[in-house]
Amino acid sequence: MSSKLSVARRWALICLAAFLALAVFVTLEPTDSFDRTLREVFRPDDVWGPWQLVFGNVVDGAGPPVALAALAVAGVAASVRRKSWWPLFYVGRLAVVTVLITQVTKAIFSRPDPHNDVGMFNGSYPSGHMVILLSCLGGILLVWRQCPPLWAWWLVLVAELTMGFSLLLLSMHWFTDVIGGGLLAVAIVIFAASPRFLRPVHRTKANAVDSVGSPT
């Protein structure tokens, strides 16, 4: 188990390193030719067409408010099921950490989006939609199963890729924003999957009582 954990942590650090390296790049070249070229590929001449209408529903229907609400519902349901406050505490902490990290990094890099808009806590890098969606979906899986099945993670990956594709079609983010958001989210989910955080979440009230009364 310790070897698997060390491998997971290694991957988390690799994702964080890649995220920071990409952050340095987009800071030095905030709208480089690579991003501009891909913007024209996904939304030529910034025209709003039928594809934008269709995939705009993805951005709205799986955006941060919806994803965070779904995570909260999963936490409440898991707490009721296990008669424990730990699942609710787990999803609350995951939501706060995810939003805080995302907004702080946005403020630090303050990258203009493809329409040259930028706010104090609304920079384009990384994509908050990407970070929050993957973190919330991962949190939902982990709060219900300590070791979610592989097919469930594939569904999460499909949802994340669909969100990234939608953001590019709508020109809401540069391509590097989307990649950066995915890298940051993967690191967050890997740390959130640590047994240190999950063991209390999956300990039911009955199990806790049994463990206290069992001989050592």
Side-chain angles (χ1 to χ4, degrees):
M1 187 70 178
S2 60
S3 62
K4 290 183 179 178
L5 185 59
S6 63
V7 170
R9 284 179 176 172
R10 215 173 297 140
W11 275 109
L13 292 175
I14 289 172
C15 287
L16 280 177
F19 168 76
L20 292 174
L22 191 57
V24 172
F25 173 75
V26 301
T27 301
L28 297 176
E29 298 289 341
T31 53
D32 68 294
S33 58
F34 175 73
D35 271 326
R36 289 185 179 278
T37 299
L38 285 179
R39 180 193 177 187
E40 284 300 309
V41 170
F42 284 98
R43 189 176 173 181
D45 299 322
D46 206 25
V47 173
W48 185 273
W51 286 110
Q52 283 71 33
L53 287 173
V54 172
F55 284 91
N57 295 319
V58 175
V59 174
D60 293 335
V66 177
L68 290 168
L71 179 63
V73 169
V76 170
S79 287
V80 171
R81 179 187 176 191
R82 298 192 181 95
K83 299 179 181 178
S84 168
W85 288 102
W86 276 106
L88 192 57
F89 177 64
Y90 173 82
V91 300
R93 183 165 55 174
L94 176 60
V96 170
V97 169
T98 299
V99 172
L100 185 62
I101 291 175
T102 302
Q103 294 306 112
V104 168
T105 53
K106 281 177 171 289
I108 290 173
F109 298 114
S110 298
R111 187 190 194 191
D113 66 19
H115 296 99
N116 207 33
D117 292 329
V118 63
M120 182 175 180
F121 291 100
N122 199 32
S124 191
Y125 184 88
S127 165
H129 284 74
M130 295 292 287
V131 181
I132 293 175
L133 179 62
L134 183 55
S135 295
C136 287
L137 291 179
I140 291 171
L141 291 185
L142 292 168
V143 82
W144 279 97
R145 294 277 296 274
Q146 189 165 358
C147 295
L150 183 60
W151 62 264
W153 288 114
W154 279 111
L155 291 178
V156 169
L157 177 61
V158 169
E160 182 78 346
L161 291 176
T162 303
M163 174 60 78
F165 183 71
S166 302
L167 292 170
L168 293 173
L169 278 179
L170 271 64
S171 285
M172 290 181 64
H173 281 284
W174 302 105
F175 181 79
T176 45
D177 299 335
V178 171
I179 298 300
L183 290 170
L184 180 57
V186 168
I188 292 173
V189 171
I190 290 175
F191 282 117
S194 169
R196 174 186 176 186
F197 301 126
L198 284 180
R199 282 196 194 103
V201 173
H202 293 279
R203 185 186 302 131
T204 63
K205 188 175 181 180
N207 289 339
V209 172
D210 291 343
S211 64
V212 170
S214 59
T216 56

